[in-house]
Amino acid sequence: MLEIPEALVLSSQLNQTLKGQQIKETVAAASPHKFSWFYGNPAEYDVLLRGRTIEITKPYGGRVEIEAEGAALHFGDGASLRYYQAGEKIPAKRQLLVVFESGAALVGTVAMYGGLWAFPAHGMDDNPYYKAAKEAVPILSEAYDYKHFLTLFDEKSLKMSAKAFLATEQRIPGLGNGVLQDILLNANIHPRRKINTLSEEGRQTLFDNIKSTLAEMTDGGGRDTERDLFGNFGGYKTKLSKNNAQYFCPDCGASVKKETYMGGSIYYCEHCQAL
């Protein structure tokens, strides 16, 4: 799933790979998928994008947006992107295909669910999730300081668990159930722990580990549970994920616990993250 580190890595790779390329053809929704989301009629994507030149790609939380001369391709919520050189075999099952004059292609696929939106500039400004992601202060920017983080704490959020606080209601766009596992381990906070039990020092520790863990994941090329633009797994080795759910805590050696909570899996160390 696209989260903050992967969006940052993909954006960098897309800028290096696609910038200046002209779109020759676009085919959307060729392989039906019930939970693939498009903007308007996907059959009109080709008319919208044909002949336009890729200008720049920008990350917004856990989303990636490619700008192309007044139009945009926007990806998020589980969409996977893969770049193919001219002559490489393109997968038959795909939800989006963008072919460039160079013969190279960008392919978008969806496993569980995902958005592959194409629209004229500002076309999705009425989408609240899109707007929240674009307007949010990037968590890894210098502008996002501890004072800004404290604005997330209110009467409602203080009653939430650490997982709910971090991963719901777009408090930090792009921070989801995947990256929060290592963040909470590094901060020694149990996913079920109520936010109102954190001291001022605990809040500062959480903030520091959000920043440092996301930066480490990004610097590593994304998590080892996710693939980049060229099909390679990220170089950041996750501490708590499906990759090591049956193993031991890398910090203390205790067993890693896995539970279902709030519609997804949580992983935690009972020793390091006492509830």
Side-chain angles (χ1 to χ4, degrees):
M1 300 290 286
L2 273 176
E3 295 190 36
I4 291 167
E6 289 71 43
L8 288 165
V9 171
L10 272 175
S11 293
S12 176
Q13 292 176 329
L14 286 163
N15 276 319
Q16 294 172 18
T17 307
L18 297 187
K19 189 174 182 179
Q21 293 217 46
Q22 187 177 49
I23 298 172
K24 179 180 180 180
E25 180 186 17
T26 303
V27 181
S31 300
H33 190 292
K34 185 176 180 180
F35 297 107
S36 292
W37 304 320
F38 299 94
Y39 181 85
N41 183 356
E44 297 176 358
Y45 278 21
D46 186 57
V47 173
L48 172 67
L49 297 170
R50 184 186 290 264
R52 297 182 190 265
T53 298
I54 304 297
E55 296 171 317
I56 191 170
T57 302
K58 298 177 181 178
Y60 297 107
R63 296 162 172 259
V64 171
E65 184 166 293
I66 302 171
E67 297 180 8
E69 296 185 309
L73 278 162
H74 191 87
F75 304 94
D77 300 298
S80 296
L81 299 180
R82 180 78 182 274
Y83 180 76
Y84 292 87
Q85 297 278 5
E88 285 191 277
K89 185 177 180 180
I90 305 297
K93 290 187 176 181
R94 56 185 184 263
Q95 280 64 58
L96 180 70
L97 171 66
V98 182
V99 180
F100 301 97
E101 291 291 348
S102 66
L106 179 68
V107 171
T109 57
V110 172
M112 296 176 62
Y113 60 88
L116 311 101
W117 301 283
F119 47 85
H122 311 298
M124 284 227 304
D125 280 359
D126 60 344
N127 182 308
Y129 295 101
Y130 176 79
K131 287 188 68 176
K134 291 198 73 170
E135 294 173 359
V137 178
I139 184 66
L140 290 180
S141 67
E142 291 186 7
Y144 202 114
D145 56 15
Y146 183 59
K147 183 178 180 180
H148 188 86
F149 179 64
L150 289 179
T151 64
L152 304 183
F153 295 85
D154 56 27
E155 184 177 352
K156 180 180 180 180
S157 65
L158 285 171
K159 298 176 183 178
M160 294 180 167
S161 66
K163 174 180 175 175
F165 175 75
L166 290 178
T168 64
E169 300 185 16
Q170 296 287 296
R171 286 181 184 81
I172 304 176
L175 198 165
N177 194 57
V179 300
L180 71 79
Q181 313 291 341
D182 281 15
I183 289 171
L184 293 178
L185 175 63
N186 291 337
N188 299 129
I189 297 172
H190 195 289
R192 294 179 184 267
R193 183 173 174 179
K194 296 298 183 182
I195 288 296
N196 60 14
T197 67
L198 293 178
S199 63
E200 182 65 26
E201 181 182 3
R203 295 183 187 186
Q204 180 73 60
T205 297
L206 177 57
F207 171 74
D208 291 343
N209 281 282
I210 290 172
K211 295 274 258 187
S212 61
T213 304
L214 290 175
E216 188 177 354
M217 289 174 171
T218 304
D219 292 343
R223 292 168 288 153
D224 61 356
T225 56
E226 309 300 323
R227 294 183 185 271
D228 68 7
L229 187 64
F230 308 104
N232 303 311
F233 284 107
Y236 172 86
K237 184 174 176 57
T238 48
K239 294 181 176 182
L240 299 180
S241 71
K242 62 184 180 181
N243 284 6
N244 66 349
Q246 304 303 317
Y247 299 106
F248 301 98
C249 173
D251 293 342
C252 75
S255 296
V256 170
K257 304 294 183 181
K258 178 184 178 182
E259 296 176 359
T260 299
Y261 178 55
M262 292 183 61
S265 296
I266 55 172
Y267 306 89
Y268 63 91
C269 169
E270 286 184 312
H271 179 264
C272 295
Q273 297 166 275
L275 182 58

